[in-house]
Amino acid sequence: MDEHRRIAGVEEVPEESTLLATLRPTDPDAVDEGEGDLGESEDGAPEVEAILTRAAGEVRAFRNYCQHWTDVRLDKDDGAFVRNGEVFCQTHGATFEADGGYCNFGPCEGAVLESVDVTVADDAVYLDDDAYEFVRLGPSAGKGDGSGSRIDFTGN
């Protein structure tokens, strides 16, 4: 596998939370300014975020924004809340199945998180989605927490 596309070791991807990574779209016009995970590098190129989690022993990756309020990030750089194989939107309580991104509860029920293709090889996770280039672990440049003044439904 190409080391430039290596995101992390499999052991770094939590089962009860998420690992945040920054990606660069290969087509800058393909990203929507309304998506909460959109940032900008120092040279002005758009960056987006992906969350990685392990569900049923497999690593999955999704863009880091809720399908209900797309300006809301699921992982605000401290790991999204994951329980029983579900990723929670802490802002309004929607739950997404970690193995496929399907929203099974909340105001966006029936919607699906935008997936990012990854591959596991040699105990590492590699970006396998030609729409993106791996930039770094952590948030995209210039991001706040994306939480606004909305309510946290997880009790945190």
Side-chain angles (χ1 to χ4, degrees), residues 63-146:
R63 287 280 302 277
N64 187 27
Y65 64 89
C66 181
Q67 296 299 297
H68 178 225
W69 288 324
T70 59
D71 65 327
V72 172
R73 296 163 63 217
L74 299 170
D75 182 336
K76 298 173 177 75
D77 196 22
D78 56 358
F81 183 69
V82 177
R83 183 178 61 204
N84 298 327
E86 295 178 326
V87 178
F88 284 70
C89 176
Q90 296 182 51
T91 303
H92 66 270
T95 57
F96 300 89
E97 296 170 359
D99 63 352
Y102 178 80
C103 180
N104 57 20
F105 176 80
C108 51
E109 188 170 348
V112 179
L113 293 174
E114 183 180 341
S115 62
V116 174
D117 295 334
V118 293
T119 297
V120 174
D122 303 322
D123 295 322
V125 181
Y126 294 87
L127 179 62
D128 194 25
D129 196 319
D130 292 335
Y132 304 101
E133 298 171 357
F134 175 66
V135 177
R136 67 182 165 280
L137 288 176
S140 61
K143 291 305 300 175
D145 70 3

Side-chain angles (χ1 to χ4, degrees), residues 15 17 41 49 60 84-85 102 119 154:
E15 291 185 30
S17 186
S41 67
E49 296 173 348
R60 304 287 186 181
N84 298 327
Y102 178 80
T119 297
T154 64

